Amino acid sequence: MAMAVNGRDVKQAFLNIYLRLKDDLLSDPAFDYTDDARAWIERMLDYNVPRGKLNRGISVVDSYKLLKEGIELGENEFFLSCALGWCIEWLQAYFLVLDDIVDDSHTRRGQPCWFRVPKVGLIATNDGTLLRNHIPRILKRYFRDKPYYVDLLDLFNEVEFQTASGQMLDLITTHEGEQDLSKYKLPVYNRIVQYKTAYYSFYLPVACALLMSGENLDNFVGVKNILVEMGTYFQVQDDYLDCFGDPEVIGKIGTDIEDFKCSWLVVQAIERANEDQMKILHENYGKKDAACVAKVKALYKELNLQTVFSEYESKSYEKLILNIEAEPSKAVQEVLKSFLHKIYKRQK
């Protein structure tokens, strides 16, 4: 049976598959669930896994469909592509639950961070571990008999390692920046972003779709490089929105300035600031005081960083399109363009 999947239907069908995967996990024979344990896990999953934009997960389905070049997906193919998409959403939930604790954040996706919920607190660290462990449970159940099963396990393990290493770089760079703000340079920023964001948000969904299509990932190094570039562009947008975006629209209150983050904006400011402006940065960056944050934002405006960002956005788009159009496979070009068009000039 072929499944027509388009637009809103995909999102609804994707969400329906979340319910099936959740039920599987709540009846996993490896653990003898009590009613309390089952209720906790269900609440924790519903709070953290399906409430994002779901772009990463749905991208697996979209990419696989494009790689099939117009052939309708069978019901089982659609299910499997969704299951892999949900594995990425589970990975994302795991990172965010722990990331919010480390950053001492308050809101995520328009609601309090999971560890801020009454009676959760630091139990959230173990919930993060559970979220991470659900991924191999899903993969084992539905992909164990597939020729690409080991490649999938390798892929998820490698991308998780890269992301956690990127997070570590981000955190220790922040320590160094607190001692010397001039350490925040573009190559440092690019390395953090490549590992912390680009691999799991951009490369992983496409790599999942390629494996499902029977491809060898070693043949797609150029595609990986384009997706890492796209991930960098995405993170620059994120940094920009953290400062200049509308919290109502982006679903969170930005704290990069208060948290002394090696953000694209501060890197650009350091490159352009004169002595007096650097003094303002040194005195106000990384202070959890609204007046200090306001001074940094005013300095960003004085340095025309909104225009700098607009120019960066246009140039990045043009360069990515050129690289994409140099790819030999038209289907792969379509996959890459679909990613780029989802994020170009986004507001959240």
Side-chain angles (χ1 to χ4, degrees):
M1 176 186 162
M3 273 196 79
V5 284
N6 53 12
R8 227 169 13 176
D9 301 343
V10 176
K11 188 160 188 180
Q12 197 44 59
F14 188 67
L15 283 163
N16 291 344
I17 285 164
Y18 162 74
L19 298 173
R20 178 170 162 189
L21 297 173
K22 181 177 72 170
D23 286 346
D24 290 343
L25 291 164
L26 293 174
S27 55
D28 190 320
F31 180 66
D32 185 12
Y33 280 92
T34 62
D35 290 345
D36 285 350
R38 190 175 281 107
W40 179 276
I41 296 294
E42 180 160 26
R43 177 176 168 235
M44 184 271 286
L45 290 176
D46 288 345
Y47 196 91
N48 293 295
V49 179
R51 294 199 183 177
K53 296 188 287 287
L54 308 180
N55 286 344
R56 292 169 183 83
I58 291 171
S59 292
V60 179
V61 186
D62 291 344
S63 300
Y64 183 58
K65 200 161 178 268
L66 288 167
L67 291 171
K68 297 280 284 184
E69 299 193 67
I71 301 165
E72 283 293 352
L73 301 192
E75 201 167 337
N76 191 47
E77 283 182 303
F78 180 71
F79 172 77
L80 291 175
S81 64
C82 286
L84 286 182
W86 278 114
C87 286
I88 300 175
E89 292 297 334
W90 248 268
L91 187 69
Q92 161 86 334
Y94 150 60
F95 289 141
L96 297 185
V97 164
L98 297 183
D99 198 24
D100 285 342
I101 297 169
V102 173
D103 290 345
D104 199 29
S105 299
H106 289 270
T107 57
R108 166 77 63 186
R109 296 168 169 172
Q111 59 185 13
C113 300
W114 177 238
F115 81 100
R116 299 255 177 217
V117 172
K119 300 210 168 100
V120 175
L122 291 181
I123 296 174
T125 55
N126 191 63
D127 290 334
T129 307
L130 282 168
L131 286 163
R132 188 260 172 268
N133 277 277
H134 287 160
I135 298 163
R137 306 307 294 167
I138 295 169
L139 293 177
K140 182 180 178 183
R141 181 165 183 138
Y142 291 108
F143 296 91
R144 198 177 182 177
D145 61 343
K146 300 285 183 267
Y148 53 87
Y149 176 55
V150 172
D151 294 319
L152 272 180
L153 291 174
D154 265 353
L155 175 66
F156 273 90
N157 285 336
E158 185 166 293
V159 168
E160 184 197 348
F161 169 64
Q162 288 168 319
T163 310
S165 300
Q167 174 71 344
M168 176 269 301
L169 264 184
D170 189 18
L171 295 165
I172 65 170
T173 303
T174 303
H175 278 309
E176 287 173 18
E178 282 168 350
Q179 314 308 317
D180 177 8
L181 199 54
S182 63
K183 288 255 171 78
Y184 285 173
K185 292 189 162 69
L186 205 54
V188 173
Y189 174 81
N190 285 337
R191 187 178 300 115
I192 291 169
V193 169
Q194 174 181 341
Y195 288 101
K196 185 184 169 183
T197 303
Y199 285 113
Y200 94 92
S201 296
F202 286 81
Y203 174 60
L204 182 56
V206 175
C208 284
L210 286 167
L211 287 176
M212 264 193 80
S213 304
E215 298 287 359
N216 180 339
L217 295 180
D218 293 341
N219 300 333
F220 291 89
V221 175
V223 170
K224 183 194 232 178
N225 292 338
I226 290 169
L227 288 160
V228 167
E229 283 291 315
M230 225 181 277
T232 304
Y233 163 57
F234 176 86
Q235 187 60 48
V236 171
Q237 288 176 313
D238 228 43
D239 291 357
Y240 180 81
L241 292 170
D242 186 275
C243 179
F244 294 114
D246 178 353
E248 290 293 316
V249 176
I250 61 176
K252 61 182 178 182
I253 298 157
T255 58
D256 284 358
I257 294 171
E258 294 94 316
D259 295 342
F260 224 113
K261 286 286 179 188
C262 180
S263 148
W264 185 82
L265 290 167
V266 81
V267 169
Q268 297 301 321
I270 290 163
E271 271 186 21
R272 290 166 170 76
N274 61 31
E275 213 173 304
D276 291 342
Q277 290 167 326
M278 274 307 290
K279 191 166 179 284
I280 292 169
L281 266 184
H282 277 296
E283 286 169 2
N284 295 285
Y285 201 72
K287 306 274 193 304
K288 293 192 189 299
D289 173 324
C292 295
V293 173
K295 283 178 188 167
V296 174
K297 286 189 181 183
L299 177 60
Y300 287 171
K301 285 180 178 164
E302 192 182 313
L303 291 166
N304 281 327
L305 293 193
Q306 282 154 301
T307 308
V308 174
F309 170 74
S310 278
E311 286 166 4
Y312 166 84
E313 186 157 53
S314 301
K315 279 186 187 148
S316 295
Y317 181 80
E318 284 163 25
K319 185 184 168 197
L320 284 163
I321 288 286
L322 276 177
N323 290 342
I324 289 167
E325 289 179 347
E327 276 298 311
S329 158
K330 279 277 181 274
V332 168
Q333 281 191 30
E334 287 307 309
V335 168
L336 295 170
K337 282 182 180 173
S338 80
F339 262 78
L340 185 53
H341 293 140
K342 274 179 198 164
I343 63 167
Y344 184 53
K345 298 212 162 170
R346 71 192 174 96
Q347 296 302 310
K348 64 176 184 177

